């Protein structure tokens, strides 16, 4: 399952190549995760501006899939994750609580809308399935459906929606799949689902054991396990996490009676990662799903080098994949579902949260792992892979060196010689000049990397929503300019014999929230609208650890 809704809609040529390669490695099922980027004739404004897939695109892709013995399964988000749709005035009245996230089940118009979308969407597919998604409905029962939730309970309210959607899909001859995350909180209600519904059990962190698979197996439900590629929320995939997640989840799924594996590849916060980076977990997923969880990693790596990379079996290119995949998860960089390698790229140059939280030794290893990868990947025969991989390696080097430079500047501001001492002041001015020059050089390099990012994006995807990431590059460039201007002001103070502002009290980064820091602000907005109890316990606890939740209420 490839996410095409977080900013990146692949070209039809890219999707054709993707299907051909997946089929060659014996995948038999493909989904494109869609929230809005489809041209719905009855509701054209939903996909407007995203260069959406059209009915003709889907018809052509469906035919291409069938020619390669792959089933193209329609996937259309039918409950939550509908921020784009609910931000449009025509649909605002269907917003559960004003957070532009979930359709309200309290209005019959919700089901009329879904019926019309299904009528536009489903006839373009030959598959008899529909993945209705319906995951992470965090705002359910907090607004328009609050009275229903109080009377029925949130679990039964959710169940009623799934059954309504199931009946709508059945009108068009489809059985539904649904993500299992919400239903797992209400296992006593699972028995009320009709037998034709497949539950999709998703977890994306490597664990020793997956209790949800055991639970679904014990309930006698038809279910699939859904690990992830660990390619999103990071500059390079968290390869070791992907290996553990896929291997153990498939193992537990097999033991509990799962009838399939759906490997997921998401694109959170603009889908800035390149599709090429997911091929190692794609093929590892295929190998484990067909051959079982006990395949030897060394055997797989040798086959991957020979068959996919067209390199010798013991080639350094595969070792580089593992080393860089480990480096992005070093202790001060690795987080659940993400890596701070990505945040390091866009973090504020002087006031970023990572500056004091990241171990410089981790950053040095990250940079060196990327440099070693660059040396190995320049020999890749496939031009697209070579350019994608080497660009990513250089982007990782930049991110690591950027954060190291920020740490050095912050240390320098707190350790400059007394400006009243002429000799010390002279040394300090030299150090400040070097720091300013370093930041200015990074700003210039950032501009070149942004241009190359655009080139790599357009090699695989439609332009329409590239602005989500290019705007981040632009905003970071503006922060560099502000940081350099402020440092020059501090240099003037220091040159006149005054101390610099070592605590950055006079430096204002403004409302700058890159990547998932933007997501945190959205969650705090939900807390203000619906209260902290609307959040899943894990998210609530995370905000509390950061000291953010108390201030939101």
């Amino acid at each position: 399952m490839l996410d095409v809704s977080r900013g990146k809609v692949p070209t039809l040529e890219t999707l054709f190549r993707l299907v051909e390669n997946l089929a060659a490695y014996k995948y038999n099922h493909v989904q494109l995760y869609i929230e809005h980027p489809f041209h719905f004739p009855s509701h054209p404004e939903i996909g407007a501006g995203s260069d959406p897939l059209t009915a003709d695109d889907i018809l052509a892709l469906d035919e291409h899939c069938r020619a390669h013995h792959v089933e193209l399964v329609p996937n259309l988000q039918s409950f939550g994750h509908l921020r784009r749709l609910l931000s449009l005035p025509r649909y605002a009245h269907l917003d559960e609580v004003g957070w532009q996230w979930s359709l309200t089940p309290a209005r019959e118009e919700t089901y009329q809308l879904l019926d019309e979308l299904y009528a536009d969407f489903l006839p373009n597919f030959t598959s008899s399935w529909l993945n209705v998604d319906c995951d992470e409905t965090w705002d359910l029962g907090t607004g328009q459906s609050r009275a229903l939730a109080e009377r029925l309970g949130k679990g039964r309210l959710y169940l009623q929606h799934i059954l309504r959607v199931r009946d709508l899909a059945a009108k068009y001859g489809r059985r539904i799949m649904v993500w299992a995350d919400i239903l797992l909180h209400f296992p006593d209600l699972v028995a009320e689902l009709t037998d034709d519904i497949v539950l999709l059990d998703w977890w994306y962190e490597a664990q020793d054991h997956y209790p949800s698979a055991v639970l679904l197996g014990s309930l006698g439900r038809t279910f699939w396990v859904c690990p992830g590629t660990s390619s999103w929320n990071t500059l390079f995939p968290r390869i070791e996490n992907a290996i553990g997640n896929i291997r153990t989840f498939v193992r537990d799924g097999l033991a509990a009676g799962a009838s399939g594996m759906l490997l997921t590849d998401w694109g959170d916060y603009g889908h800035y990662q390149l599709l090429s980076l997911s091929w190692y977990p794609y093929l590892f997923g295929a190998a484990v799903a067909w051959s079982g969880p006990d395949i030897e990693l060394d055997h797989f790596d040798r086959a991957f080098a020979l068959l996919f990379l067209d390199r010798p079996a013991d080639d350094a290119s595969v070792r580089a994949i593992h080393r860089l995949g480990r480096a992005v998860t070093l202790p001060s960089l690795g987080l659940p579902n993400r890596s701070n390698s990505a945040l390091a790229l866009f973090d504020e140059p002087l006031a970023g949260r990572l500056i004091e939280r990241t171990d410089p030794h981790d950053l040095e290893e990250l940079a060196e792992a990327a440099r070693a990868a660059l040396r190995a990947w320049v020999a890749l025969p496939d031009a697209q892979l070579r350019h994608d991989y080497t660009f990513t390696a250089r982007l990782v080097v930049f991110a690591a060196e950027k954060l190291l430079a920020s740490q050095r500047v912050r240390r320098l501001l707190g350790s400059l010689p007394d400006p009243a001492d002429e000799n010390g002041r002279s040394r300090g001015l030299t150090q400040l000049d070097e720091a300013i020059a370093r930041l200015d050089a990074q700003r210039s390099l950032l501009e070149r990397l942004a241009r190359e990012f655009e080139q790599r994006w357009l090699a695989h995807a439609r332009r329409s929503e590239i602005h989500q990431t290019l705007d981040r590059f632009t905003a970071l460039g503006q922060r560099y300019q502000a940081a350099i201007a402020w440092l020059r002001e501090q240099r003037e103070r220091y040159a006149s014999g005054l101390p610099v502002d070592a605590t950055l009290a006079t430096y204002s980064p403004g409302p700058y929230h890159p990547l998932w820091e933007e997501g945190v602000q959205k969650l705090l907005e939900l807390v203000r609208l619906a209260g902290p109890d609307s959040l899943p316990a894990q998210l609530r606890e995370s905000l509390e650890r950061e000291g953010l939740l108390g201030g939101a209420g």
Side-chain angles (χ1 to χ4, degrees):
M1 190 223 71
L2 177 64
D3 182 355
V4 300
S5 293
R6 309 300 176 86
K8 183 182 290 182
V9 180
T11 63
L12 197 56
E13 179 186 4
T14 296
L15 292 172
F16 277 18
R17 288 200 309 268
L18 175 69
V19 168
E20 291 161 9
N21 278 324
L22 290 175
Y25 293 98
K26 295 187 170 54
Y27 273 93
N28 54 21
H29 182 113
V30 168
Q31 300 182 21
L32 302 178
Y33 172 76
I34 291 180
E35 295 172 2
H36 64 278
F38 177 78
H39 176 70
F40 298 96
S42 301
H43 296 268
E45 59 267 58
I46 291 174
S50 66
D51 198 358
L53 295 165
T54 65
D56 286 344
D57 291 334
I58 297 298
L59 288 168
L61 183 60
D62 189 85
E63 181 179 6
H64 196 69
C65 284
R66 284 184 283 115
H68 289 82
H69 310 286
V70 172
E71 183 177 9
L72 179 65
V73 173
N75 178 313
L76 186 62
Q77 181 61 262
S78 302
F79 209 175
H81 281 279
L82 290 175
R83 179 153 281 139
R84 175 69 67 91
L85 183 152
L86 292 172
S87 69
L88 299 170
R90 179 178 176 182
Y91 310 102
H93 66 294
L94 301 180
D95 189 338
E96 168 64 19
V97 72
W99 196 48
Q100 298 177 346
W101 188 257
S102 294
L103 294 167
T104 180
R107 288 179 178 263
E108 188 61 27
E109 297 101 310
T110 287
Y111 301 100
Q112 180 181 344
L113 171 63
L114 289 173
D115 193 8
E116 292 169 359
L117 297 183
Y118 290 176
D120 284 347
F121 189 59
L122 293 176
N124 305 298
F125 297 83
T126 55
S127 173
S128 61
W129 288 102
L130 167 63
N131 185 353
V132 297
D133 300 306
C134 296
D135 55 313
E136 296 183 329
T137 51
W138 297 327
D139 53 341
L140 177 63
T142 64
Q144 296 192 60
S145 68
R146 183 185 293 273
L148 281 173
E150 290 173 350
R151 178 165 59 87
L152 301 173
K154 281 191 178 182
R156 186 162 298 281
L157 180 60
Y158 180 87
L159 176 67
Q160 285 190 359
H161 179 83
I162 298 303
L163 293 176
R164 286 290 304 271
V165 168
R166 181 261 180 201
D167 291 343
L168 288 175
K171 283 179 55 177
Y172 303 97
R174 268 44 178 216
R175 297 171 57 187
I176 68 168
M177 302 174 171
V178 59
W179 300 117
D181 58 307
I182 303 298
L183 287 166
L184 284 169
H185 292 291
F186 308 100
D188 55 316
L189 298 178
V190 171
E192 298 184 34
L193 291 171
T194 55
D195 291 337
D196 57 349
I197 296 175
V198 172
L199 297 180
L200 301 174
D201 185 19
W202 62 267
W203 295 97
Y204 303 139
E205 292 305 297
Q207 300 173 189
D208 294 332
H209 185 56
Y210 291 91
S212 58
V214 177
L215 175 60
L216 290 174
S218 71
L219 294 172
R221 302 303 312 186
T222 301
F223 76 100
W224 293 5
V225 292
C226 305
T229 62
S230 299
S231 301
W232 61 92
N233 285 336
T234 181
L235 293 184
F236 190 76
R238 300 178 299 139
I239 293 294
E240 307 306 314
N241 184 78
I243 290 169
N245 179 215
I246 294 167
R247 191 194 293 275
T248 308
F249 209 0
V250 168
R251 180 201 70 191
D252 286 5
L254 285 168
S259 55
M261 179 204 75
L262 180 68
L263 184 63
T264 61
D265 194 4
W266 297 98
D268 297 14
Y269 302 106
H271 209 145
Y272 47 86
Q273 79 273 16
L274 299 174
L275 182 63
S276 299
L277 306 181
S278 290
W279 277 109
Y280 184 99
Y282 284 175
L283 300 196
F284 187 76
V288 170
W290 281 110
S291 302
D294 296 328
I295 64 168
E296 294 182 7
L297 190 59
D298 180 65
H299 177 78
F300 173 82
D301 283 348
R302 293 169 66 84
F304 183 80
L306 284 165
L307 300 176
F308 186 78
L309 296 180
D310 195 20
R311 295 294 294 162
D314 60 348
D315 194 60
S317 57
V318 180
R319 294 195 297 275
I321 288 173
H322 283 287
R323 181 179 177 185
L324 189 52
R326 288 191 297 270
V328 297
T329 61
L330 287 167
S332 63
L333 293 170
L335 293 167
N337 201 41
R338 64 195 57 179
S339 159
N340 275 333
S341 62
L343 189 56
L345 171 61
F346 292 110
D347 207 25
E348 216 286 333
L350 287 183
R353 286 160 55 87
L354 293 185
I355 294 173
E356 295 182 349
R357 297 184 175 197
T358 311
D359 187 335
H361 295 98
D362 289 353
L363 292 172
E364 289 163 1
E365 167 55 18
L366 179 64
E368 186 49 44
R371 293 188 193 99
L374 184 59
R375 293 190 293 271
W377 293 338
V378 292
L380 293 176
D382 184 283
Q384 290 275 39
L385 284 178
R386 182 172 65 252
H387 202 159
D388 288 350
Y389 270 74
T390 55
F391 168 71
T392 299
R394 286 185 285 108
L395 196 64
V396 172
V397 171
F398 173 84
E401 291 184 342
K402 167 184 173 288
L403 191 48
L404 284 167
S406 296
Q407 292 176 338
R408 285 194 291 268
V409 171
R410 291 281 291 271
R411 288 196 300 270
L412 173 63
L413 292 174
S415 62
L416 285 167
D418 186 346
D421 173 43
E422 185 174 349
N423 289 331
R425 184 169 69 246
S426 177
R427 293 195 308 275
L429 287 171
T430 298
Q431 291 173 306
L432 284 169
D433 287 339
E434 290 173 349
I436 292 169
R438 189 178 301 112
L439 291 190
D440 196 40
Q442 287 183 333
R443 182 193 58 78
S444 296
L445 178 54
L446 178 73
E447 293 176 355
R448 298 195 295 274
L449 289 170
R451 290 194 294 270
E452 189 173 2
F453 171 84
E454 183 175 15
Q455 181 187 42
R456 298 321 307 148
W457 176 292
L458 294 177
H460 304 286
R462 307 176 187 202
R463 169 174 288 278
S464 56
E465 296 185 273
I466 191 176
H467 65 84
Q468 292 187 41
T469 301
L470 290 183
D471 286 353
R472 295 192 193 280
F473 277 104
T474 299
L476 177 59
Q478 292 169 348
R479 292 314 313 157
Y480 263 109
Q481 291 174 343
I484 291 167
W486 183 84
L487 283 172
R488 285 175 174 155
E489 292 173 359
Q490 298 306 306
R491 186 198 185 282
E492 291 178 6
R493 284 180 52 85
Y494 190 74
S496 66
L498 297 173
V500 299
D501 175 10
T503 64
L504 276 70
T506 58
Y507 181 70
S508 176
Y512 184 74
H513 303 294
L515 300 180
W516 48 84
E517 291 190 350
E518 175 186 302
V520 168
Q521 298 304 308
K522 290 289 187 184
L523 288 174
L524 293 176
E525 181 184 336
L526 177 58
V527 170
R528 288 188 287 272
L529 286 168
D533 290 342
S534 63
L535 297 181
Q538 186 177 9
L539 289 176
R540 190 165 62 246
E541 291 165 4
S542 176
L543 292 176
E544 287 171 349
R545 284 196 300 271
E546 294 290 331
L548 297 172
L549 198 53

